Amino acid sequence: MRTILTLGVVALLAACGADGEPIAPEKRGTPEPGIRISGAAEIGVSSR
């Protein structure tokens, strides 16, 4: 019973942000304007 209670308390502390204030993600630079398309396509019949 004590183990279940301890795990419950740890789960609550982890869920409420007890590890500190949230940190905002880093902002990336603005991508270059324009369209870029790349890829490959194949058509055919495969027999094994």
Side-chain angles (χ1 to χ4, degrees):
M1 184 66 176
R2 180 180 284 175
T3 303
I4 294 172
L5 182 60
T6 303
L7 289 174
V9 169
V10 169
L12 285 173
L13 287 175
C16 73
D19 59 338
E21 292 293 321
I23 300 171
E26 297 178 9
K27 290 187 177 184
R28 296 185 180 187
T30 305
E32 296 180 19
I35 297 174
R36 181 179 302 171
I37 299 174
S38 65
E42 295 181 19
I43 299 175
V45 177
S46 175
S47 62
R48 292 183 183 185

